[in-house]
């Protein structure tokens, strides 16, 4: 075989890299009857052809409208859906900024035939055939336009789309939803060309989690994917805006939506878990600071949150507050003050509460083979390796109030990029 295998780590994660650049990685969980997989292809909205914003999402959706098998078996949209249903496949996946995923879960005994169908979906979708019905393409484009239009009914999401565009002035600010101009400019030929250009095995990851034998499923995967060809298209590193500032979307809404973005650290950073625990102190439940300080004590908001976000090589914080227009300026002032105040110190009780919440979420992920397969794929993509659950647990447990204080001494919150949506234009407070 033209592949390289690594032995199992103490935590049971094994990898095999094929000669074409596809990495197969899996974690066998002996107590699970289910088996889940995620095929991650490093092609997302950030690397779409200029002027065709939204192409990746349409391509991903079209991939399920029929496929051709390795030996020529042809299934239209209904036949493919029936074949997946016959195997009890719970579908997942979608397009994002950095990558597109094709995922699912079923009983572990059905993993080989399910994986064969997914190799057809990813590698040989029916839309590549010359006789593919144009009506199918038009229907998928209509669905994409409807998803884009749905932003008008979800002002908070619309605000976050604009916040990402402002914070990442390069291609990483492009939304997977695309733009109306980009979607209307799409052609079936453009999608076919893009599939050949960007959907390649080099740099792709096929991740498994659940009740299976790794060597057996890796052999099946190698048989299905080893003859896939194409070199990696290197994506540039994301570049953030050089300084913060205020941006407003005027819209007559009953609520005012406030979004904030500022620099964090990527998951490869040695003090990443100090950052993550601190974010959980701020926004890890009803006892977290933002909820108690902004909502409970002052009654300013109906919703408030902050989270650590990560791209490959880039970490950043996203915060949100939803309030009334009349109290929106006060809300922004208090929100930014609380985001900055975390650097002044956190208490032992706050840290312990945050850690318990994070560890509980980790246990819940372990209970779901599908969630674990997705996490394995993302780890392999972002870190180049898979973090074991024990490793993550130990890193979280090692965080202390002092280590968080030292982290924020080196990385104080600053240069806030703020986008507001609603009837009132706000002012960035002097902090």
């Amino acid at each position: 075989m033209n592949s390289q295998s690594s032995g199992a780590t103490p935590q049971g994660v094994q990898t095999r890299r094929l000669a074409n650049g596809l990495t197969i990685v899996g974690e066998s969980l002996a107590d699970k009857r289910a088996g889940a997989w995620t095929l991650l292809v490093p092609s997302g909205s950030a690397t779409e052809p200029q002027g065709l914003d939204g192409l990746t999402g349409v391509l991903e959706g079209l991939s399920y409208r029929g496929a051709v098998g390795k030996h020529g078996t042809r299934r239209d949209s209904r036949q493919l859906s029936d074949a997946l249903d016959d195997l009890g496949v719970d579908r997942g996946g979608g397009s994002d900024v950095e990558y597109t995923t094709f995922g699912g879960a079923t009983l572990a005994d059905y993993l080989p035939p399910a994986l064969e169908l997914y190799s057809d979906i990813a590698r040989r979708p029916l839309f590549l055939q010359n006789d593919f019905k144009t009506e199918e393409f038009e229907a998928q484009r209509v669905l994409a336009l409807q998803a884009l239009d749905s932003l008008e009914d979800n002002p908070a999401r619309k605000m976050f789309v604009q916040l990402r565009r402002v914070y990442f002035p390069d291609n990483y600010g492009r939304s997977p939803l695309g733009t109306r101009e980009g979607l209307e400019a799409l052609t079936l030929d453009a999608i076919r060309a893009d599939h050949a250009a960007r959907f390649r095995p080099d740099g792709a990851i096929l991740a498994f989690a659940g009740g299976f034998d790794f060597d057996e499923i890796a052999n099946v995967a190698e048989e299905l994917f080893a003859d896939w060809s194409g070199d990696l298209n290197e994506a540039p590193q994301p570049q953030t805006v050089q300084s913060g500032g205020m941006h407003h979307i005027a819209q007559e809404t009953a609520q005012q939506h406030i979004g904030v973005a500022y620099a964090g650290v990527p998951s490869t950073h040695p003090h990443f878990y100090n950052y993550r625990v601190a974010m959980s102190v701020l926004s890890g439940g009803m006892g977290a600071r933002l909820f108690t300080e902004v909502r409970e004590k002052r009654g300013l908001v109906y919703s408030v949150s902050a989270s650590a976000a990560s791209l490959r090589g880039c970490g950043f914080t996203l915060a949100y507050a939803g309030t009334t227009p009349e109290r929106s300026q006060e809300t922004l002032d208090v929100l930014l003050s609380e985001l900055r105040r975390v650097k002044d110190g956190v208490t032992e009780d706050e840290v312990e509460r945050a850690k318990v919440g994070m560890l509980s979420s980790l246990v819940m992920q372990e209970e779901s083979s599908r969630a674990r397969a997705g996490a394995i794929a993302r780890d392999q993509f972002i870190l180049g390796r898979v973090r074991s659950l024990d490793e993550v647990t130990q890193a979280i447990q090692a965080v202390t109030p002092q280590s968080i204080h030292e982290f924020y001494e080196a990385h104080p919150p600053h240069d806030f990029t703020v986008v507001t949506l609603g009837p009132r234009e706000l002012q960035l407070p002097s902090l």
Side-chain angles (χ1 to χ4, degrees):
M1 296 186 295
N2 292 322
S3 62
Q4 296 178 340
S5 297
S6 73
T9 69
Q11 294 77 27
V13 176
Q14 294 175 272
T15 62
R16 180 184 297 182
R17 182 175 172 84
L18 304 188
N20 61 6
L22 174 68
T23 298
I24 302 169
V25 55
E27 184 174 37
S28 298
L29 306 168
D31 61 334
K32 304 295 182 186
R33 294 189 61 199
W37 64 93
T38 295
L39 174 62
L40 183 154
V41 182
S43 299
S45 59
T47 55
E48 288 173 343
Q50 293 296 324
L52 297 180
D53 299 47
L55 182 154
T56 310
V58 175
L59 187 156
E60 186 267 341
L62 280 177
S63 298
Y64 290 93
R65 291 180 177 261
V68 179
K70 187 171 185 178
H71 302 293
T73 303
R74 182 183 174 116
R75 293 183 175 91
D76 62 21
S77 181
R78 171 48 54 192
Q79 291 167 329
L80 179 59
S81 180
D82 288 345
L84 292 169
D85 287 344
D86 288 344
L87 296 172
V89 174
D90 180 21
R91 286 89 140 174
S95 63
D96 211 320
V97 176
E98 293 184 291
Y99 49 72
T100 298
T101 57
F102 302 88
T106 185
L107 291 175
D109 291 343
Y110 298 150
L111 265 179
L115 190 59
E116 182 173 357
L117 290 174
Y118 267 73
S119 73
D120 298 341
I121 290 166
R123 296 187 54 192
R124 292 175 293 272
L126 202 57
F127 70 75
L128 296 179
Q129 303 298 307
N130 290 331
D131 60 349
F132 183 72
K133 295 179 180 178
T134 305
E135 293 84 356
E136 294 270 16
F137 162 67
E138 293 296 344
Q140 194 65 43
R141 173 161 51 186
V142 167
L143 289 175
L145 286 166
Q146 289 174 350
L148 183 66
D149 289 342
S150 72
L151 289 178
E152 298 306 315
D153 299 320
N154 191 337
R157 190 180 182 197
K158 178 180 178 180
M159 180 274 299
F160 269 114
V161 167
Q162 183 61 22
L163 179 60
R164 292 286 294 257
R165 286 187 181 131
V166 172
Y167 190 68
F168 292 102
D170 63 358
N171 285 353
Y172 285 83
R174 298 167 74 177
S175 168
L177 291 172
T179 63
R180 177 164 295 277
E181 296 78 12
L183 291 170
E184 290 178 346
L186 278 182
T187 65
L188 189 52
D189 284 343
I191 290 178
R192 287 167 174 159
D194 187 70
H195 188 277
R198 290 197 302 144
F199 282 70
R200 299 175 170 188
D202 193 11
I205 297 154
L206 180 57
F208 295 96
F212 56 85
D213 178 272
F214 177 79
D215 286 333
E216 289 180 4
I217 199 63
N219 288 341
V220 171
E222 184 159 4
E223 176 66 24
L224 293 170
F225 290 96
D227 61 343
W228 191 13
S229 61
D231 295 332
L232 174 67
N233 291 309
E234 289 286 353
Q237 286 290 306
Q239 300 296 317
T240 62
V241 67
Q242 292 301 304
S243 60
M246 290 290 302
H247 307 266
H248 181 62
I249 303 170
Q251 189 167 320
E252 288 303 315
T253 54
Q255 290 85 33
Q256 188 93 3
H257 302 275
I258 302 169
V260 181
Y262 59 98
V265 295
S267 50
T268 51
H269 194 280
H271 300 296
F272 173 71
Y273 285 98
N274 288 302
Y275 171 51
R276 281 294 309 276
V277 174
M279 283 297 104
S280 192
V281 167
L282 280 171
S283 184
M286 295 180 67
R289 280 195 183 183
L290 291 181
F291 189 91
T292 58
E293 296 295 329
V294 185
R295 176 170 170 161
E296 292 294 290
K297 291 183 179 180
R298 296 175 174 86
L300 288 171
V301 301
Y302 62 87
S303 179
V304 64
S305 62
S307 61
S310 188
L311 297 171
R312 186 147 63 172
C314 176
F316 56 104
T317 303
L318 292 174
Y320 168 77
T323 186
T324 61
E326 296 75 22
R327 306 199 71 181
S328 55
Q329 184 64 57
E330 183 184 1
T331 298
L332 175 61
D333 296 349
V334 174
L335 174 62
L336 295 186
S337 177
E338 289 300 321
L339 294 175
R340 288 175 60 89
R341 190 169 70 87
V342 71
K343 72 179 177 60
D344 296 332
V346 295
T347 69
E348 189 74 41
D349 286 345
E350 285 179 317
V351 172
E352 285 307 308
R353 187 184 302 115
K355 293 198 294 191
V356 167
M358 292 175 67
L359 292 172
S360 296
S361 297
L362 197 63
V363 170
M364 295 303 293
Q365 181 195 104
E366 188 176 11
E367 292 297 314
S368 168
S369 297
R370 184 164 150 186
R372 181 59 180 154
I376 288 171
R378 288 189 295 273
D379 266 7
Q380 187 68 38
F381 175 74
I382 292 175
L383 304 174
R385 66 180 186 88
V386 177
R387 295 173 292 188
S388 71
L389 297 177
D390 284 346
E391 177 188 347
V392 176
T393 298
Q394 291 169 12
I396 293 171
Q397 292 284 31
V399 174
T400 66
Q402 181 61 29
S403 67
I404 289 177
H405 178 71
E406 292 171 355
F407 171 79
Y408 277 106
E409 284 289 304
H411 306 278
H414 67 290
D415 286 341
F416 296 114
T417 297
V418 180
V419 170
T420 58
L421 183 151
R424 289 192 62 185
E425 187 168 357
L426 309 182
Q427 299 297 315
L428 192 65
S430 299
L431 297 172

